[in-house]
Amino acid sequence: MKMKMIMAIIEDSDSNVVMKSLHDAGYQMTVIDSTGSLLRRGTSTLVAGVKDDQVDDAINLINQECSPSVNPIKKRATIMVFNVDHFEQIL
């Protein structure tokens, strides 16, 4: 099974609703508190391992739940997708 890792950096104001939406859709994630940009605003970095065919669905959920930005240079979310060479869960 091919896996991808999604890393999404989201503003704190949107993080709870995004996490709930992803969780309700069955995605498991790790959340890391982070600080970003020149103004050092609070962000949350979500890291999720997903199956290759789930990437678009997860990104669409993130996109739907992020608040529209009124500032044209302010990013709603930054999403990166990485190939995963090895995936293992230890129980």
Side-chain angles (χ1 to χ4, degrees):
M1 160 182 19
K2 290 192 175 188
M3 298 289 292
K4 301 284 186 182
M5 181 178 69
I6 297 175
M7 183 183 305
I9 303 167
I10 300 168
E11 292 211 21
D12 279 343
S13 59
D14 289 327
S15 63
N16 284 336
V17 69
V18 170
M19 288 187 296
K20 182 175 178 355
S21 179
L22 288 170
H23 181 266
D24 290 349
Y27 296 104
Q28 297 179 6
M29 72 209 82
T30 298
V31 181
I32 304 166
D33 290 332
S34 51
T35 303
S37 79
L38 178 66
L39 300 176
R40 305 199 39 87
R41 295 178 190 243
T43 59
S44 295
T45 301
L46 308 179
V47 180
V50 301
K51 294 177 185 172
D52 200 31
D53 62 347
Q54 295 176 317
V55 171
D56 290 338
D57 180 55
I59 290 173
N60 286 337
L61 286 172
I62 295 167
N63 188 41
Q64 289 171 10
E65 298 300 340
C66 286
S67 301
S69 177
V70 293
N71 184 340
I73 61 171
K74 183 178 172 186
K75 306 294 184 272
R76 297 172 58 218
T78 300
I79 302 170
M80 295 164 269
V81 180
F82 303 93
N83 290 322
V84 175
D85 292 330
H86 178 82
F87 176 80
E88 182 176 342
Q89 289 183 315
I90 299 172
L91 302 175

